[in-house]
Amino acid sequence: MNEKFKYQFDSSLGILFKYYYGMITIDDIESSWEYAFENGLIPKETKGFILDYRHSNFKMKIEEHTEIVAFYKKNLDIFGGFKIAILTEDPKDIVFPILVKTEDEGYSSAPFSTLEAAIAWVLS
């Protein structure tokens, strides 16, 4: 089991939850998704994603948000048409999901501070 991330699919909601732990870099984000792709961790019945960063912090430069956008766009076969909720409580970390949201194309993303709001948005 990787120490920086774990996946949990809630079949009653159809949401794939991805939990992050510790300091997270752009490489951690990309490699953790590639791990999910390679190991079939994204069920076909997935309706959306909730990325939970409440137990982690971003260790990235502000301009690296464009690499997250590029990764999602490069993988629209996975993310296309879906909502990606980013859950974070640390005010300094919310800047990354806000910047990513400004460049959404082919998918939708949004930052949230509560799990309930994230779930409601993904399912709306």
Side-chain angles (χ1 to χ4, degrees):
M1 180 72 169
N2 188 295
E3 302 152 6
K4 287 197 169 194
F5 63 90
K6 79 172 186 179
Y7 293 88
Q8 179 183 348
F9 182 69
D10 185 319
S11 57
S12 66
L13 296 173
I15 295 175
L16 181 65
F17 291 84
K18 183 179 181 189
Y19 301 92
Y20 288 95
Y21 304 96
M23 299 304 289
I24 303 299
T25 66
I26 186 66
D27 290 336
D28 294 326
I29 293 170
E30 291 181 4
S31 66
S32 64
W33 279 119
E34 288 165 0
Y35 175 86
F37 302 162
E38 293 165 7
N39 291 282
L41 299 180
I42 304 174
K44 288 182 175 41
E45 55 274 7
T46 298
K47 296 177 183 174
F49 303 91
I50 294 182
L51 313 182
D52 189 339
Y53 289 93
R54 293 178 295 177
H55 297 287
S56 66
N57 295 100
F58 292 110
K59 185 180 177 184
M60 302 184 327
K61 296 177 181 160
I62 293 294
E63 59 272 12
E64 287 182 293
H65 81 278
T66 60
E67 293 182 47
I68 297 171
V69 172
F71 184 83
Y72 288 152
K73 288 181 182 178
K74 183 177 85 175
N75 292 287
L76 284 178
D77 55 320
I78 304 289
F79 302 112
F82 286 109
K83 291 182 178 179
I84 305 167
I86 296 93
L87 197 52
T88 183
E89 293 174 338
D90 193 324
K92 71 177 181 56
D93 286 334
I94 201 161
V95 68
F96 290 100
I98 289 172
L99 289 171
V100 169
K101 179 180 175 49
T102 65
E103 298 185 42
D104 285 355
E105 192 176 306
Y107 64 92
S108 298
S109 70
F112 294 90
S113 58
T114 68
L115 180 59
E116 296 77 18
I119 290 171
W121 179 75
V122 168
L123 296 178
S124 66

